[in-house]
Amino acid sequence: MLSKVTLHFVWLLLIMALITSPLKCAQVHRLETTGVSMAWEDGKLTSFQDRVTNREWARAPVIPVQIYLFGDRAPLLTPGPQLVWVRTEVRDTQTLVHHYQATVRGTKLSLQLQVSVKGAETVWFIAWQSSGPSVVAQVRAPYLAVPRGLGGSSEDDYLVAPNWEGQGYRDPANGNGPLFPNRADSPDLFDTVLRPGEMRFHMGDYPGRFSAQFETYYDSGGGLLLWTPDPEGWTKEFRFDRTLEGPFMGVCHYAARPGVQSYKQPYMAKTTFFTGDWYDAADIYRQWALTQVWTARKVGQRDYAPMVRQPFLFLN
């Protein structure tokens, strides 16, 4: 039998342990508007809802950021380490800033992800700083774990992207083929067999293979437009990655060169929920594009040099 003195001593030790080592509780944050709802837990996006259609767009809780490094042989990139959440800063009722860190080949990387909500849209910015010359080449943000079957079925799911003449893909999460098979696109997405850890993807860079800064994933019940209203045309890449666990959808931002020690995204990345099909998604982008300086005047009204207006030789 334990004496009363011993029992009191045990209780005292337990109380001291609780005081010095408090239980760690998850930090949960929410952002909501009439059109969108987001839930975060310890820096992971756990819920991403279209409040008009009540559709959940977060397939799994993930940190929606990935880093890629310059490889030994350009232009190959290699996956970087997983980011570790440090804290979340509440800027206001519509904005969160998540702080992450990682050790990248011996240097400490600090990364901030700012997320805001407005109407049916979310707005994303990233910035990072390195303790020494960095080998970070690309940051994917947002990089969203999206559902395999929208609305419970994947048969009427579509991915549409403005690569080359434009391309559409039915049931892209399960590797079905393009709507226009004779057009140039990325065949990797359509390999039907995936092994654990493998990835098949559709991607396009802007400026370059993509003629506009967006891609969209939708079905008859609505969709998600991922886009960058960037009037200066900074280099970026749009991706739809197919994995055994499910698809990912994201936009990639590039560092200028190896050795830089900081980066701040100079343009917005956005997601916008919509109802309709690819045409309605493209029209959202079009409304922004029509306000830009490069669409202010029609082609016939622009001040081109005579050799451009009346070329003496044209090769196609």
Side-chain angles (χ1 to χ4, degrees):
M1 297 288 293
L2 295 175
S3 67
K4 290 184 177 181
V5 175
T6 303
L7 287 174
H8 280 95
F9 183 70
V10 171
W11 277 111
L12 182 61
L13 289 176
L14 289 173
I15 292 171
M16 290 179 64
L18 289 174
I19 293 173
T20 57
S21 302
L23 294 175
K24 184 179 180 181
C25 298
Q27 288 194 22
V28 178
H29 298 85
R30 298 193 69 89
L31 294 174
E32 289 188 341
T33 68
T34 55
V36 61
S37 172
M38 305 182 84
W40 299 80
E41 183 175 317
D42 290 350
K44 291 184 177 181
L45 180 61
T46 57
S47 178
F48 184 28
Q49 289 187 344
D50 179 347
R51 299 191 70 184
V52 174
T53 62
N54 293 319
R55 173 170 290 176
E56 176 61 62
W57 281 86
R59 171 176 50 80
V62 298
I63 292 177
V65 185
Q66 283 196 347
I67 59 176
Y68 277 73
L69 313 178
F70 287 105
D72 296 330
R73 294 180 299 165
L76 298 178
L77 302 181
T78 59
Q82 290 291 321
L83 292 167
V84 177
W85 173 77
V86 178
R87 63 187 176 91
T88 295
E89 173 188 351
V90 180
R91 286 279 174 89
D92 53 52
T93 58
Q94 306 296 300
T95 305
L96 298 174
V97 180
H98 303 288
H99 295 257
Y100 308 94
Q101 65 182 20
T103 300
V104 181
R105 297 182 186 172
T107 62
K108 183 179 178 181
L109 179 76
S110 300
L111 185 144
Q112 301 82 46
L113 171 67
Q114 178 178 306
V115 185
S116 304
V117 293
K118 181 179 180 180
E121 295 184 337
T122 64
V123 181
W124 306 68
F125 286 97
I126 60 161
W128 57 260
Q129 308 81 35
S130 176
S131 62
S134 173
V135 292
V136 174
Q138 179 192 92
V139 177
R140 300 177 181 179
Y143 191 62
L144 304 170
V146 292
R148 186 187 299 275
L150 304 176
S153 170
S154 63
E155 293 182 359
D156 66 339
D157 293 353
Y158 292 93
L159 171 71
V160 171
N163 54 311
W164 306 118
E165 307 100 318
Q167 184 60 276
Y169 311 84
R170 187 180 66 82
D171 192 9
N174 291 311
N176 287 327
L179 300 179
F180 309 106
N182 293 327
R183 296 182 182 176
D185 37 54
S186 176
D188 280 353
L189 184 63
F190 314 114
D191 290 354
T192 55
V193 179
L194 282 177
R195 292 184 291 271
E198 281 192 331
M199 177 187 293
R200 298 291 182 264
F201 58 88
H202 171 269
M203 56 76 67
D205 54 334
Y206 179 94
R209 188 177 176 203
F210 273 30
S211 59
Q213 305 175 60
F214 73 89
E215 63 181 4
T216 182
Y217 184 38
Y218 68 93
D219 70 355
S220 58
L224 180 70
L225 172 68
L226 176 62
W227 60 301
T228 54
D230 170 17
E232 296 180 345
W234 289 79
T235 299
K236 58 189 69 72
E237 179 182 285
F238 291 86
R239 299 186 65 93
F240 187 94
D241 295 338
R242 176 175 163 250
T243 71
L244 200 61
E245 293 76 20
F248 291 84
M249 187 175 180
V251 59
C252 313
H253 318 280
Y254 287 95
R257 62 190 184 278
V260 299
Q261 292 187 231
S262 65
Y263 170 85
K264 186 175 182 180
Q265 185 179 316
Y267 52 86
M268 291 185 288
K270 281 189 174 185
T271 69
T272 304
F273 292 128
F274 67 93
T275 55
D277 57 18
W278 67 268
Y279 193 92
D280 300 280
D283 195 53
I284 296 171
Y285 182 83
R286 178 176 180 271
Q287 296 306 312
W288 167 79
L290 288 176
T291 66
Q292 303 310 302
V293 64
W294 29 270
T295 57
R297 291 182 295 173
K298 295 180 179 179
V299 173
Q301 300 171 335
R302 298 176 188 174
D303 299 325
Y304 291 119
M307 65 177 297
V308 176
R309 287 182 176 274
Q310 297 179 330
F312 59 87
L313 177 65
F314 179 75
L315 298 177
N316 185 7

